[in-house]
C-alpha cells in the first residue's frame, strides 16, 4: 500500500518517507496466511545423521523441532526435543551410545504438514486438534518453512502491544 502511494507521487525512491505501520493495512493483512510469517531459515538433518548432531543444532539455535529431509529437500520426518530427551535419558536398548542413533530411527515419519497458503486460523486449529507444537510447511513435497507455537506467541504479543497501546 505505502509503496504504491509513493510510486504514484513520482518522487525518486531516495526521497520517500519511511512507511508507517498504519500504511501496511494493519495486522489483519500481515497474518492472513502462514507464508507471511513462517520461518524459512531452517536447520535440517537427514535420516542417517546421528541424533547427537540434531541435539546440538537444537541447542545452538534454540529450536525444539528439526525437520528431516532427504537429499532432494523433501520432508521425510520431524524430530522433537522431547523425543531426544527421552532417547538420551533412557539410552539405546542394544547398549550402543544413544547419541549415535540415526535420526531416522527416532523421528516422527509422515508429520502433519500444511501448505504456505494455509490460513493462520486453520494452522492454529490443526495444531490444537493434533496437539503438536509445530507444522512443517511444504510446497508439493518440498520443505519451504516451518511454523511453531513460538511464532503464534510472537503474533499474540504484537497484537496485544498494538491493542493495549491505544
Amino acid at each position: 500500500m505505502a509503496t504504491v502511494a509513493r510510486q504514484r507521487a513520482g518522487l525518486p525512491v531516495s526521497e520517500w518517507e519511511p512507511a508507517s505501520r498504519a500504511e501496511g493495512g494493519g495486522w489483519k493483512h500481515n497474518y492472513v496466511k502462514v507464508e507471511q510469517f513462517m520461518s524459512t531459515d531452517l536447520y535440517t538433518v537427514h535420516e542417517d545423521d546421528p541424533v547427537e548432531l540434531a541435539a546440538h543444532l537444537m541447542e545452538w539455535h534454540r529450536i525444539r523441532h528439526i525437520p528431516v529431509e532427504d537429499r532432494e529437500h523433501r520432508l521425510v520426518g520431524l524430530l522433537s526435543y522431547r523425543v531426544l530427551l527421552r532417547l538420551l535419558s533412557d539410552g539405546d536398548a542394544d547398549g550402543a551410545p544413544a547419541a549415535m542413533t540415526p535420526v531416522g530411527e527416532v523421528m516422527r515419519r509422515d508429520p502433519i504438514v500444511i501448505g504456505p497458503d494455509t490460513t493462520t486460523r486453520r494452522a492454529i486449529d490443526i495444531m490444537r486438534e493434533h496437539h503438536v507444537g509445530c507444522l512443517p510447511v511444504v510446497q508439493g513435497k518440498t520443505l519451504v518453512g516451518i511454523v511453531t507455537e513460538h511464532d503464534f506467541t510472537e503474533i499474540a504479543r504484537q497484537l496485544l502491544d498494538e491493542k493495549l497501546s491505544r
Side-chain angles (χ1 to χ4, degrees):
M1 298 173 106
T3 302
V4 173
R6 284 164 179 69
Q7 287 173 337
R8 288 188 180 141
L11 295 173
V13 173
S14 61
E15 295 179 22
W16 288 6
E17 291 292 322
S20 68
R21 181 176 256 173
E23 290 176 293
W27 63 269
K28 287 184 180 182
H29 297 288
N30 293 322
Y31 301 111
V32 176
K33 297 185 180 199
V34 295
E35 68 186 343
Q36 294 171 286
F37 62 91
M38 67 185 182
S39 299
T40 56
D41 188 15
L42 304 175
Y43 300 97
T44 64
V45 292
H46 295 105
E47 286 185 80
D48 56 350
D49 288 332
V51 295
E52 181 177 42
L53 172 64
H56 286 304
L57 285 171
M58 290 173 152
E59 179 184 3
W60 296 332
H61 299 290
R62 297 181 180 186
I63 56 177
R64 295 186 299 160
H65 305 91
I66 193 160
V68 183
E69 295 182 299
D70 65 12
R71 302 292 180 212
E72 285 78 42
H73 304 289
R74 292 179 299 223
L75 182 71
V76 295
L78 186 67
L79 186 62
S80 74
Y81 76 100
R82 287 183 182 178
V83 168
L84 284 179
L85 287 175
R86 196 174 312 118
L87 174 70
L88 296 174
S89 66
D90 293 345
D92 198 358
D94 66 4
M100 297 312 294
T101 302
V103 167
E105 288 185 21
V106 295
M107 70 181 189
R108 177 179 180 172
R109 294 191 181 276
D110 299 319
I112 299 160
V113 299
I114 56 174
D117 60 341
T118 303
T119 65
T120 303
R121 293 288 309 267
R122 181 67 185 128
I124 292 169
D125 289 344
I126 291 169
M127 290 174 82
R128 290 177 69 188
E129 178 183 334
H130 296 281
H131 305 284
V132 295
C134 82
L135 293 169
V137 182
V138 296
Q139 185 99 47
K141 292 185 178 185
T142 304
L143 179 67
V144 295
I146 195 166
V147 64
T148 67
E149 292 171 318
H150 179 64
D151 296 318
F152 290 117
T153 302
E154 182 60 26
I155 292 169
R157 185 197 61 78
Q158 290 176 15
L159 294 175
L160 285 170
D161 284 350
E162 184 177 314
K163 295 295 183 186
L164 295 176
S165 66
R166 291 183 180 175

